[in-house]
Amino acid sequence: MFTELAHLHQKCFPNRPWSAEDFRDLKNSGCEIIMSENGFIVYRIAVDEAEIITIGVNPEMRRNGIASAMIGIIEKNLKNQGVKKIFLEVALNNEPAKKLYESMGFKVVGSRPKYYDGVDAILMAKTI
Ligand SMILES: CC(C)(COP(=O)(O)OP(=O)(O)OC[C@H]1O[C@@H](n2cnc3c(N)ncnc32)[C@H](O)[C@@H]1OP(=O)(O)O)[C@@H](O)C(=O)NCCC(=O)NCCS
């Protein structure tokens, strides 16, 4: 699983790929990982809040609703586990991801200047 995740991550984030070891470490540190043939999502729960760590979809399979379906699935699971709010960070210039999160009902709640190699990050949240 971790090798496939690293392979897909490399396709999604060619400038900053994570290794199979990175994914193993995330899992060992308590993160949840959902992976399908063309997408993955990594998140973690802290009491009644959760954070989406990363999400990616195979470039050839985008705009087919895969990312929104994955977020929908984890939202349902998180709600059942008593989670009240989901947070995430996204680079200010990552339009597809910002649009995705907005379309799923996430709202901007803050920013982190120069977070990603000099690019600001915005902090988004959704109450579930
Ligand atoms: C962001 C990403 C995960 C979206 O995956 P996806 O499976 O294509 O997204 P979906 O098909 O579920 O899109 C749902 C909605 O999000 C918005 N959206 C997604 N990609 C978009 C784009 N390129 N431009 C504009 N809106 C977009 C649209 O509203 C879309 O609904 P629509 O297709 O009915 O118009 C994908 O582009 C990706 O892997 N990007 C690289 C990795 C990345 O940046 N991850 C996020 C890190 S924070």
Side-chain angles (χ1 to χ4, degrees):
M1 178 196 186
F2 298 120
T3 308
E4 286 85 359
L5 271 166
H7 184 66
L8 194 50
H9 191 277
Q10 206 270 336
K11 283 186 168 184
C12 295
F13 299 93
N15 298 329
R16 46 188 174 101
W18 293 356
S19 65
E21 200 51 44
D22 293 330
F23 278 104
R24 190 171 289 112
D25 289 347
L26 282 169
K27 185 77 187 164
N28 289 339
S29 72
C31 288
E32 305 287 339
I33 304 175
I34 293 180
M35 190 199 176
S36 64
E37 201 181 331
N38 287 297
F40 60 84
I41 185 164
V42 181
Y43 62 100
R44 84 174 128 226
I45 304 173
V47 195
D48 61 352
E49 293 181 351
E51 182 189 5
I52 295 178
I53 312 287
T54 190
I55 181 168
V57 169
N58 185 341
E60 290 140 44
M61 294 300 291
R62 288 181 187 162
R63 298 307 286 272
N64 285 304
I66 295 176
S68 40
M70 291 193 296
I71 293 174
I73 289 168
I74 69 156
E75 262 188 45
K76 211 181 262 179
N77 292 346
L78 291 171
K79 206 169 177 170
N80 288 340
Q81 291 174 71
V83 169
K84 306 254 180 329
K85 208 159 193 172
I86 308 177
F87 291 91
L88 60 87
E89 273 147 14
V90 58
L92 188 62
N93 59 1
N94 190 343
E95 287 302 328
K98 282 194 304 181
K99 291 266 189 305
L100 164 71
Y101 301 135
E102 281 163 11
S103 77
M104 300 292 300
F106 284 82
K107 304 268 185 255
V108 176
V109 292
S111 68
R112 299 194 197 285
K114 311 273 181 278
Y115 192 69
Y116 297 111
D117 296 331
V119 177
D120 291 0
I122 52 175
L123 184 63
M124 301 183 86
K126 178 177 180 180
T127 301
I128 56 172

